Amino acid sequence: EVKLVESGGGLVQAGGSLRLSCAASGFTSNDYAIGWFRQAPGKEREAVSCFSYNDYSTYYADSVKGRFTISRDSAKNTVYLELNSLKPEDTAVYYCAATTLVVVREIWSSWKWYEYWGQGTQVTVSS
């Protein structure tokens, strides 16, 4: 059974940093991509970033580019999302999701391609 567990969320002041972790288990190989999505109250789910396994490409939403960094530790089956220079508008529940599809630029941000989802971790940025 595939399982994704997020951690690392919390309350931080604007300008602060957090590191989110997504620990994956149940995969038989490292051939899966991990995407991060977020959803704020009353808003639609938004793609944040993705780490693609086939060529180690990384993708970012324009709203977080230059502030967030995604990385992967294959030995630990964990993907990290470093959140820097946080803004109040970054407040949301952050979810990691996994897909065994080959992720390319055209599809990384579409949640429908991701087969497995974690339970989410809350990030709150105060002004």
Side-chain angles (χ1 to χ4, degrees), residues 84-99:
N84 296 313
S85 303
L86 282 162
K87 306 174 182 179
E89 51 264 43
D90 294 318
T91 295
V93 177
Y94 283 69
Y95 299 91
C96 69
T99 179

Side-chain angles (χ1 to χ4, degrees), residues 63-81:
S63 59
V64 306
K65 202 170 291 183
R67 300 189 298 122
F68 292 8
T69 303
I70 193 168
S71 61
R72 180 170 180 167
D73 186 333
S74 295
K76 295 183 178 180
N77 295 322
T78 300
V79 171
Y80 303 98
L81 186 66

Side-chain angles (χ1 to χ4, degrees), residues 38-117:
R38 66 186 181 185
Q39 188 164 20
K43 294 188 176 181
E44 293 187 355
R45 186 168 10 186
E46 174 189 19
V48 176
S49 184
C50 176
F51 192 107
S52 179
Y53 74 84
N54 55 304
D55 60 359
Y56 303 105
S57 292
T58 56
Y59 304 98
Y60 298 95
D62 288 342
S63 59
V64 306
K65 202 170 291 183
R67 300 189 298 122
F68 292 8
T69 303
I70 193 168
S71 61
R72 180 170 180 167
D73 186 333
S74 295
K76 295 183 178 180
N77 295 322
T78 300
V79 171
Y80 303 98
L81 186 66
E82 191 82 29
L83 286 60
N84 296 313
S85 303
L86 282 162
K87 306 174 182 179
E89 51 264 43
D90 294 318
T91 295
V93 177
Y94 283 69
Y95 299 91
C96 69
T99 179
T100 55
L101 295 176
V102 175
V103 173
V104 295
R105 184 171 301 279
E106 290 77 12
I107 69 167
W108 80 267
S109 60
S110 179
W111 60 267
K112 67 179 181 180
W113 297 112
Y114 293 81
E115 303 146 85
Y116 308 99
W117 291 81

